[in-house]
Amino acid sequence: MEKYVIHGGQPLHGQVEISGAKNAAVAIIPAALMVRGVCRLENLPEISDTDTLLRIMTFLGARVTMINRSTVELDCTHVQMDTLPSQMWDMTRRIRASYYLIGAMLGRFGRARSTMPGGCNFGVRPIDQHIKGLTALGADVRTSGGFINASAAGGRLKGGSVYLDKVSVGATINIMIAAATAEGRTVIENVAREPHIVDLANFLNSMGADVRGAGTDVIKIRGVKSLHGGTYALIPDQIEAGTFMAAVAAAGGSVKVANVIPKHLDCISTKLREMNVEVEDGDDYVLVRRDGPLHPTNVKTKPYPGFPTDMQPQMTVLLCSAPGVSVMTEGVWNGGRFKYVAELKKMGANIEVDDQSAFIQGVDRLTGATVRACDLRAGAAMVIAGLAAQGVTKVEDVVFIERGYQDIVGKLRALGADIACVDEPEERPAEESAG
Ligand code: UD1
């Protein structure tokens, strides 16, 4: 069982290059299914979620050619499958973004069948808004027995209007992909505005689509007959950048976080400054420095441009070391997304969770312990806690972290962190690890 072993207390110094955005990649790879021609994707992150999706695309009949570590050519011209075969179910159940294959297959073939998606467990993750949107485009969508079946009346989707009752990244993306080649005009209101929504729109447009308004709360799409090949470079990962910023703030030191779009980090930078962390914006980098004590603050997660829910655990770790009381409120996921707090408590954190909020009383210093990565971002938060803690921290279940962070261990080591990935047996009590 691979785990990360961290000897805490080393400040971070130097420069880290941020990889391409995971959540853009996992939308754009399935969207390439809509394209008859070669899509060359650049700045793709080397993470297990993109690897899984590329394997699924290969299985569906796409020609996938790795040009280098961050560039891939995807040719879906001859893909004919509108059903995810059973050999793929294990993979589609593992990742959230597999549901974008439904929008893409439906848009391309007028039919789609796949498993319900997987992904991080934040409690209930409904897909009613996806269904509402695809239905507005004329699809008959049914879910049963863990599968999604969808078909377009007459074999081709038709443009339509949909108002999302909940701002949903996934539903916005799925409907955008499906509508790109639907007949006529689609209007989606109350959409998500995350940077990767804009990235997907730019990708689709560079392949011949007509998508307008991405980044605002209304997206208008004029369906085109077909999409053609082209080259597209993905944006840098907002959350990976934020994670490294939080790591510097937690461990202390001074780091240039490079290959970022500072505007995408505004909300994170502002909160860090409130906490007595220096953040200086460059053209495509931010300089982060912390040498004084952290100050407490309150944070509430919201859809973009609000504070990202995917930075919530990392920020909570930071607040653990800020003397005084801070409150972290989860405003996106019902159920709080606070499972990782139990792990942080093993490191001496003083946190009480009540419904959607965590009340954090800062402690002098966290202490090393063996903890689990409960999910992708919670796992990154445990790494940050380990960097700040006194003593040795072992983070288990790192497969979750590797779903979304390219070489996190190598990048942190290059900044001076004492972290290694080792293969050791689990340390959980027998009854917990059984089965
Ligand atoms: C995406 C991100 C995830 C991030 C989340 C919010 C990917 C692969 N994952 O997840 O990391 O935490 O955005 O920024 O991009 N909802 C409904 N009905 C729906 C869909 C969503 O009620 O049909 C609710 C959810 O329960 C949640 C909220 O809407 O409370 C936001 O979910 P959504 O934006 O859809 O998240 P994902 O796209 O699944």
Side-chain angles (χ1 to χ4, degrees), residues 211-374:
V211 180
R212 297 177 194 205
T216 74
D217 56 8
V218 183
I219 294 179
K220 295 177 181 167
I221 302 165
R222 209 170 276 283
V224 295
K225 275 222 165 64
S226 62
L227 299 180
H228 55 69
T231 296
Y232 190 75
L234 277 67
I235 53 167
D237 197 300
Q238 175 206 27
I239 305 299
E240 189 198 10
T243 301
F244 275 92
M245 292 166 77
V248 182
S254 170
V255 170
K256 180 174 179 177
V257 182
N259 183 36
V260 301
I261 298 174
K263 179 81 196 140
H264 292 167
L265 304 171
D266 271 355
C267 206
I268 300 165
S269 303
T270 303
K271 277 292 157 195
L272 290 178
R273 289 186 189 112
E274 272 177 38
M275 294 184 70
N276 196 29
V277 179
E278 282 177 45
V279 182
E280 190 186 315
D281 288 357
D283 288 341
D284 61 352
Y285 63 87
V286 288
L287 284 176
V288 185
R289 191 165 72 203
R290 206 269 292 170
D291 46 24
L294 290 168
H295 295 169
T297 190
N298 299 331
V299 181
K300 180 168 185 182
T301 67
K302 290 196 177 140
Y304 190 84
F307 192 90
T309 172
D310 287 356
M311 278 298 298
Q312 187 249 89
Q314 302 90 313
M315 199 67 178
T316 300
V317 166
L318 210 51
L319 294 170
C320 286
S321 308
V325 177
S326 301
V327 183
M328 171 60 80
T329 303
E330 175 55 49
V332 174
W333 293 104
N334 296 330
R337 196 180 178 172
F338 287 123
K339 265 194 293 177
Y340 66 90
V341 164
E343 303 300 305
L344 269 185
K345 284 185 171 177
K346 294 180 191 165
M347 301 180 72
N350 185 349
I351 307 179
E352 289 308 321
V353 175
D354 184 12
D355 192 24
Q356 295 288 104
S357 293
F359 297 85
I360 305 146
Q361 172 74 58
V363 294
D364 271 354
R365 190 119 194 232
L366 296 172
T367 45
T370 296
V371 291
R372 282 179 57 223
C374 305

Side-chain angles (χ1 to χ4, degrees), residues 6 8 250 317 344 347 366-367 371 380-390 393:
I6 306 164
V317 166
L344 269 185
M347 301 180 72
L366 296 172
T367 45
V371 291
M382 293 306 127
V383 171
I384 295 174
L387 296 172
Q390 191 160 30
T393 297

Side-chain angles (χ1 to χ4, degrees), residues 368-400:
T370 296
V371 291
R372 282 179 57 223
C374 305
D375 60 53
L376 166 58
R377 306 303 171 185
M382 293 306 127
V383 171
I384 295 174
L387 296 172
Q390 191 160 30
V392 182
T393 297
K394 295 185 179 182
V395 183
E396 298 185 332
D397 292 341
V398 299
V399 283
F400 288 114

Side-chain angles (χ1 to χ4, degrees), residues 158-180:
K158 288 196 171 49
S161 293
V162 59
Y163 180 91
L164 298 182
D165 302 310
K166 181 106 195 194
V167 176
S168 159
V169 170
T172 304
I173 288 175
N174 229 340
I175 303 165
M176 282 167 76
I177 295 173

Side-chain angles (χ1 to χ4, degrees), residues 22-23 26 96 99-100 122 124-130 166-171 194 196 309-310 332-334 337:
K22 164 191 172 278
N23 287 348
V26 299
R96 194 76 202 154
Y99 55 19
Y100 300 144
F122 308 142
V124 185
R125 294 185 77 170
I127 60 163
D128 56 307
Q129 299 305 303
H130 300 242
K166 181 106 195 194
V167 176
S168 159
V169 170
E194 267 67 6
H196 41 287
T309 172
D310 287 356
V332 174
W333 293 104
N334 296 330
R337 196 180 178 172

